[in-house]
Amino acid sequence: MARVGVLIGSLSKDSYSRKVADYFTALPTSLEFVELNYSILPFYNPDLEKKPPIEWQAFRKATDSVDALLIVTQEYNYSIPGGLKNALDVLSVPSPNQHLMGKPILAMTDSAGEKGGIIANAHLHQVLRYLGMRVMNCTIAIGNVQSVFKDGRNHDVKLASRLAQDIKDFAKFIGESNLPYQACIDMGHNFCYSPNELALLDGSGTKIATITLDNSERKTVVIKEVTVAPEYRGQGLANKIMTTLMWLVEGADRQVKANCPFAKSYLETHPQFQNIFVK
């Protein structure tokens, strides 16, 4: 049984986002849901990483213990609530391991207006993809939420049917999205990116592994060649730079095509990236 951590955008105990989350997580499913409370997290300050606050440590550990995340939030001022953004900022920093990279997630928004917080929804998807999460590709934006969930029950028959299917799709998505440990990005090396090249750098800024790229196709990044400096071969850097590229491509909502033998071999042995692989 997959465990899913739930982040609710509003800190109000009577918020409609909480009503939506309670309804959705009570639907028939094999998933187990647990709320991750971020209300007491200190604001993110990189200076505190030398001795992280106990609240950060506990929150990061709780997030590490779940297989996926569900976010249900309203729209604040054309974006997401500050507390939710702060929680994502705290989780975005490796300490020392990644907390969000490769983790499946479903994002839902709601609002009192007809658009259902669609602007916050798009913004949230952008942030989550940048963080390297595996975002379920669907838009759930619930408008007129105060009428639909006025007593905690769903009064919209079409929405009820939609959400019943969404939770089934989410469970399937989680099962298909589990990444092996080696697929997570190793941030032990810095990297630099330009439209024609991605490079891993050593401590002095020297390129130690490179991928030559062709970005002339609008939605597809073409891999022309993967090379590793002779003195660094045998350390798995070719795999690391390929995984870094997959993170960048997926975060930019693009696809990748392999025109060199190593890249083709990498993609064939990493099925978790099949959704962005153009053969």
Side-chain angles (χ1 to χ4, degrees), residues 170-186:
F170 187 36
K172 181 180 179 182
F173 178 72
I174 293 171
E176 295 174 345
S177 299
N178 289 332
L179 299 179
Y181 176 78
Q182 60 268 27
C184 295
I185 294 179
D186 183 342

Side-chain angles (χ1 to χ4, degrees), residues 5 13 55 60 68 91 96 108 139 192 212 224 254:
K13 61 183 179 64
E55 295 90 347
R60 287 166 170 171
L91 293 174
M108 306 169 61
T139 301
C192 63
T212 306
K224 299 170 66 176
R254 300 181 70 181

Side-chain angles (χ1 to χ4, degrees), residues 2 12 15 40 98 101 117-118 125 145 162 198 222 235 264:
S12 170
S15 72
I40 62 173
Q98 297 284 346
M101 191 70 65
I118 192 66
H125 273 237
V145 67
R162 160 76 191 275
L198 171 67
V222 179
Q235 299 182 27
K264 289 180 180 179

Side-chain angles (χ1 to χ4, degrees), residues 189-251:
H189 295 95
N190 293 324
F191 66 87
C192 63
Y193 174 76
S194 69
N196 297 316
E197 183 183 80
L198 171 67
L200 293 184
L201 311 175
D202 65 10
S204 63
T206 302
K207 296 177 183 179
I208 57 178
T210 61
I211 299 180
T212 306
L213 304 168
D214 180 354
N215 272 277
S216 60
E217 297 186 29
R218 182 173 178 271
K219 293 289 290 182
T220 303
V221 176
V222 179
I223 302 172
K224 299 170 66 176
E225 186 179 19
V226 181
T227 58
V228 176
E231 62 271 29
Y232 285 93
R233 290 173 185 169
Q235 299 182 27
L237 292 183
N239 278 303
K240 289 180 181 179
I241 194 171
M242 279 293 299
T243 302
T244 303
L245 179 65
M246 294 303 102
W247 170 55
L248 293 171
V249 169
E250 191 166 37

Side-chain angles (χ1 to χ4, degrees), residues 23 147-160:
Y23 173 86
S147 298
V148 177
F149 286 92
K150 60 183 177 182
D151 55 3
R153 294 185 297 115
N154 187 350
H155 296 273
D156 187 321
V157 176
K158 290 184 178 180
L159 177 62

